[in-house]
Amino acid sequence: MSRNGVAGRKGEGVRSDAFVVVELRDEGGIELIVKSRVSFIYGDSIHKLVAAGLSFFGISNARVEVEDSGAVPFVLMARLETAVRRALGKNYQDVAEWLPEPGPSFGLPSSRERWRRSRLYLPGNEPKFMLNARIHEPDGVILDLEDSVPPEEKDAALVLVRNALIALDFAGCERMVRINPLPQGKEEVEPLIRAGVNLLVVPKCEDDEEIKELAAAVAEIERRTGIRHEVWLMPIIETAAGAFRAYEIARSSERIAALTYGMEDYIADIGAQKTRDGWETLWLRSVVVNAARSAGIQPIDTVYADVADLEGLKFSCLQARALGFEGKGCIHPRQVRVVNEAFTPDDEEIAHAMEIVKADMVARANGKSVAVIGSKMIDPPVVRRARRTLELAVALGRLSPDWNKEGR
Amino acid sequence: MNLVTNALGRMVPTEINGRPAVPFPGIDRFRPSGCKAAPRIPTVLDYPRDGNKVVKDLKTALELAGVRNGMTISTHHHFRDGDTLALQLFDICAEMGLKDLVWFPSAAFPCHAPLIKHLDSGVIHHIEGSLNGPLGDYCTSGRMRGLGVLRSHGARAMAVQDGEVHIDIAVLAAPSADCFGNANAVNGDAACGVLGYALADAMYADRVIVVTNNLVPFPCIPIEISGSYVDYVVVQDSIGDPKKIVSGTTEITRSPDRLYIAELVARFIRDAGIMRNGFSFQAGAGGISLAFAVYLAQMMKESGVRAGWIHGGTTKFLVRMLEEGLTDALVDGQAFDLEAVRSIAVNRSHIGTAPLISYNHHSKGNFINLMDVVVLGATEVDLNFNANVVTHSDGRLLHGIGGWQNCLYARCVILAMPAVRDRIPVIVDEVTTLCGPGEMIDVVVTELGIAINPRRQDLIEAVKGKSLPLKSLEEMKAEVERLCGKPERQERTSRVVAAVKWVDGTVLDSVFQIPGKQ
């Protein structure tokens, strides 16, 4: 009796992907048919890779068809693994993971405080967008398992995202994954952690208990697997109920590095209508900023949907920054620069921040608790904000780390 | 076929379609001798005293021109993928029972695929001209009887002028013409911009047939092709579709990754100090090459810099630069869109040129030697900066050379392309087909960074400390291979199906038949 599994995509317009059909048989050995745009330079290696995969999964009788549209090896591996899993009809955890060679980003840690001005969403089941995402220099990439992946492709996306996290070079980008809403998302966490994810974006958060539960699960996986770097969490508030519990959510775990919100779902949930100035989300945005600030984490703005309107995006960024946000989501690479620039302090802000911090240092050296510039007293929160501005300026190379020693 | 190793170690034929050929001896090593070709001396006694050269139809014109087996017939490609005249021409030749013709187009496009039936039946013996798409496949499959000869636009015109190629009959599509044969491409429903590729053909062919869909009263102004070169004028309903000038290679890319490359190119030009008042540049066809001009225009505005002249293929973006005062002049070899066609008719500073003039290596200087920077695409580049622009990595003829080789004589040559195309690495150990010697290529820009040829220490110095992502080709290649895997060595047959000529007429490389295709 034969059992079939199919994964991937083929056809006109498909790039950097492969369509794999695995038909498991009871006898007859391996029959492998490869049709590839790159067979003239990778024909042998594709055959060897597929043969190695079948051997890894202990399959000795099967007909395998590969229609390759220029998939790089980690993509081809993911598609074969998914096709095999589907043919076997087993759950993710019941089949061994066929992992690619680790790339230069694998194992690189992140930190709670790192800058998250821009995060670029990449559909988790579309390899071609992942390959060069780093060149657009977002602070983070989000490989998405949620809204951009159809329900029937969630399993394929998880395998592909896992392989991308391991094999791809994401350069200096923080590697984030948006999992599915809990409890489904909880099942996705372990392979992602073992693949070195830096931050899990948790959608449709309404309850601090679910974050606590997720955080505990992450801690347990870290302990069990011996993963050394910490995995951070970024909950997304997307409902009125979630908005009312934003503060509890923001404080629910030490793993939470940032808090954000989802505009479209929230607007639908409260029955509001979209306006250009975003009045319908003003309360939510203020709540998210205040919840995040009071919990000592980063408030991050949602995405701007019109990718062609960069002026509108800039306005939206400036509005978000004025409200207290530190970053914004991007759904197209062309948005990244606008967002990065909007959330980067300009020369005037840097100079002002330097003045504040220097005045604070002088005050402290003189045993005073409050600094004064001219006749104006500088409160501690203002000093904290100025210090953070300078940290970002140093991190972006806009200011020398020794700025305070220069000119002495 | 006798093959020898040329100065760059490539195996090339010493004879092409029955004529001796000179293997490439090195850059600027070849000096021509002798005199230019002389067209036959005509006399007005043989032409209508009233100046009316209009004949009934193209078949009549061909008959009057004395068409016969084995002749060389030329056409031009200003309509690009909208050309219909070449198809009509060879259908008539087939109907007349002609055989063994040589088609000598200034370029061939996918629209010319129907000519395969005439190659198969023997009406056309072979094509001497850049081949791509289905005709490229036909050639690399080994089915064409003669050898394909790939020349740059400049080398094609030069070959005519040098007498290397003798055109028996030139058939020129003219969007406007008068009964005397004066013609231009700026007026009429089929206006396509310029007719520069037809200039050498008109001047040197034994017989010249102008085919127009827009017969105007004498004189047809402006006169781009002079009626004094023309034997017959044919008027018919259609000569081609100018809307199809626009294609994938003449539109700006929308890929964010490729736009990033285009922006890197513009940043390099700015930061290297090339972008300064009075400078000149050219962008080749191809999405990235065209897109760089948009970024450069923005940087020029920000810096208050104005170019002296820009050499086309012209697009709406270059036209906008002219009309916004960002350049003093547009010098145009061909229109890449209809906005360029409009512009040349109305802008006095938008002037047409011809490869015979702007790209001619056997002349008393040409435009391209005066140019500051050129941005081109390529299909492959190797670690010695040698580049390929005609064949796919599997050896199939994919693109025409166009003016690509000629442009390598600009003061700074930048190749801009993705490092990987659907798992196919662009940076390779050795190019499949050598079209541009590495010593002529200064900078390679990919999404992975910018590699400057070590020969150009001046450029390396100029961009030091300018926050550009500089890398070596070796580093880029290693990055690509880490992602894609190391490419396997390709097989190739030893049968040459086409020859690639250098701008001086010597033979730079060979295109080999693809194994198993024939």
Side-chain angles (χ1 to χ4, degrees), chain B residues 419-459:
Chain B
V420 186
R421 292 187 175 101
D422 291 334
R423 206 188 168 183
I424 299 170
V426 165
I427 302 164
V428 295
D429 288 322
E430 189 179 19
V431 287
T432 308
T433 308
L434 176 58
C435 302
E439 64 188 278
M440 306 294 287
I441 290 157
D442 302 308
V443 184
V444 174
V445 182
T446 77
E447 73 277 23
L448 302 180
I450 299 173
I452 304 176
N453 193 328
R455 289 167 175 271
R456 293 301 304 267
Q457 285 300 315
D458 56 330
L459 292 174

Side-chain angles (χ1 to χ4, degrees), chain B residues 439-484:
Chain B
E439 64 188 278
M440 306 294 287
I441 290 157
D442 302 308
V443 184
V444 174
V445 182
T446 77
E447 73 277 23
L448 302 180
I450 299 173
I452 304 176
N453 193 328
R455 289 167 175 271
R456 293 301 304 267
Q457 285 300 315
D458 56 330
L459 292 174
I460 293 170
E461 281 299 315
V463 297
K464 225 173 223 174
K466 294 282 177 63
S467 80
L468 291 169
L470 301 181
K471 275 186 186 166
S472 67
L473 286 177
E474 285 81 359
E475 285 173 310
M476 292 192 208
K477 180 169 174 282
E479 265 187 71
V480 169
E481 288 183 359
R482 199 196 62 71
L483 177 69
C484 299

Side-chain angles (χ1 to χ4, degrees), chain A residues 97-399:
Chain A
E97 294 174 310
W98 187 35
L99 304 178
E101 284 290 309
S105 299
F106 182 72
L108 292 180
S110 180
S111 70
R112 197 176 194 223
E113 295 76 26
R114 71 163 282 152
W115 293 97
R116 297 183 174 93
R117 295 169 303 169
S118 57
R119 62 186 194 280
L120 177 60
Y121 279 90
L122 302 164
N125 205 32
E126 176 56 271
K128 72 179 177 189
F129 296 132
M130 300 175 185
L131 302 179
N132 281 329
R134 71 188 188 284
I135 68 173
H136 304 287
E137 299 182 343
D139 287 340
V141 292
I142 296 190
L143 302 167
D144 184 28
L145 297 176
E146 199 215 7
D147 283 351
S148 64
V149 180
E152 65 277 14
E153 291 300 321
K154 298 280 185 190
D155 59 333
L158 179 60
V159 176
L160 185 67
V161 164
R162 181 203 70 198
N163 280 10
L165 286 171
I166 294 171
L168 256 186
D169 182 1
F170 287 106
C173 303
E174 185 174 36
R175 285 154 296 128
M176 310 175 176
V177 174
R178 179 163 73 171
I179 58 176
N180 282 289
L182 304 176
Q184 184 187 348
K186 200 171 146 189
E187 303 302 314
E188 296 161 347
V189 167
E190 179 159 349
L192 299 174
I193 291 176
R194 283 193 277 108
V197 69
N198 294 130
L199 183 148
L200 296 169
V201 181
V202 190
K204 299 186 177 62
C205 264
E206 293 193 323
D207 191 343
D208 56 320
E209 285 304 319
E210 62 185 13
I211 292 289
K212 285 176 185 163
E213 202 180 312
L214 178 66
V218 169
E220 194 276 321
I221 294 164
E222 282 177 347
R223 268 193 307 277
R224 181 158 43 79
T225 56
I227 301 290
R228 288 188 184 163
H229 68 261
E230 283 190 280
V231 177
W232 305 104
L233 303 178
M234 186 196 298
I236 313 181
I237 306 292
E238 300 186 73
T239 60
F244 269 104
R245 296 193 194 104
Y247 177 63
E248 286 78 20
I249 291 169
R251 287 167 50 92
S252 59
S253 168
E254 285 294 308
R255 290 183 179 276
I256 299 182
L259 185 68
T260 188
Y261 68 98
M263 185 172 59
E264 298 293 344
D265 283 310
Y266 174 75
I267 291 173
D269 193 45
I270 65 170
Q273 287 186 338
K274 260 176 143 175
T275 62
R276 187 183 187 277
D277 291 335
W279 295 114
E280 66 284 356
T281 55
L282 180 60
W283 179 79
L284 171 66
R285 284 182 285 162
S286 298
V287 163
V288 167
V289 169
N290 284 284
R293 292 297 182 196
S294 63
I297 60 172
Q298 297 165 358
I300 308 286
D301 197 24
T302 190
V303 300
Y304 186 76
D306 186 350
V307 297
D309 182 8
L310 296 183
E311 278 305 310
L313 172 64
K314 190 175 173 185
F315 174 78
S316 175
C317 288
L318 295 176
Q319 198 183 43
R321 202 176 163 199
L323 286 169
F325 287 104
E326 289 191 9
K328 191 168 179 67
C330 301
I331 53 173
H332 192 279
R334 68 188 304 198
Q335 295 183 321
V336 171
R337 180 177 307 168
V338 177
V339 170
N340 280 351
E341 282 174 3
F343 287 97
T344 300
D346 60 25
D347 291 345
E348 201 178 322
E349 288 171 284
I350 293 170
H352 186 54
M354 285 166 69
E355 192 182 12
I356 291 168
V357 171
K358 279 181 179 173
D360 179 62
M361 291 166 82
V362 170
R364 284 173 190 278
N366 294 331
K368 294 177 183 169
S369 59
V370 178
V372 176
I373 297 177
S375 60
K376 202 174 169 191
M377 288 180 56
I378 306 298
D379 295 330
V382 176
V383 176
R384 276 204 301 276
R385 207 164 86 185
R387 285 189 183 282
R388 191 144 173 81
T389 298
L390 297 183
E391 283 167 21
L392 176 58
V394 170
L396 298 173
R398 300 279 302 274
L399 190 65

Side-chain angles (χ1 to χ4, degrees), chain B residues 156-158 160-161 167 195-205 225 354 356:
Chain B
R156 178 187 183 274
M158 192 184 78
V160 173
Q161 195 176 50
I167 302 172
L195 288 176
Y197 294 110
L199 183 64
D201 305 44
M203 289 170 65
Y204 287 91
I225 298 291
L356 186 68

Side-chain angles (χ1 to χ4, degrees), chain B residues 214-232:
Chain B
N214 183 38
L215 189 70
V216 299
F218 179 94
C220 174
I221 298 171
I223 296 174
E224 213 180 330
I225 298 291
S226 169
S228 60
Y229 296 130
V230 176
D231 293 81
Y232 309 105

Side-chain angles (χ1 to χ4, degrees), chain A residues 42-54:
Chain A
Y42 291 115
D44 283 352
S45 68
I46 292 172
H47 274 86
K48 281 179 190 159
L49 189 72
V50 174
L54 295 173

Side-chain angles (χ1 to χ4, degrees), chain B residues 389-436:
Chain B
V389 74
V390 296
T391 57
H392 193 271
S393 302
D394 64 1
R396 278 186 306 130
L397 278 168
L398 188 71
H399 297 295
I401 295 182
W404 191 92
Q405 289 178 319
N406 303 108
C407 288
L408 301 185
Y409 274 86
R411 289 171 187 143
C412 177
V413 174
I414 300 175
L415 299 187
M417 62 220 164
V420 186
R421 292 187 175 101
D422 291 334
R423 206 188 168 183
I424 299 170
V426 165
I427 302 164
V428 295
D429 288 322
E430 189 179 19
V431 287
T432 308
T433 308
L434 176 58
C435 302

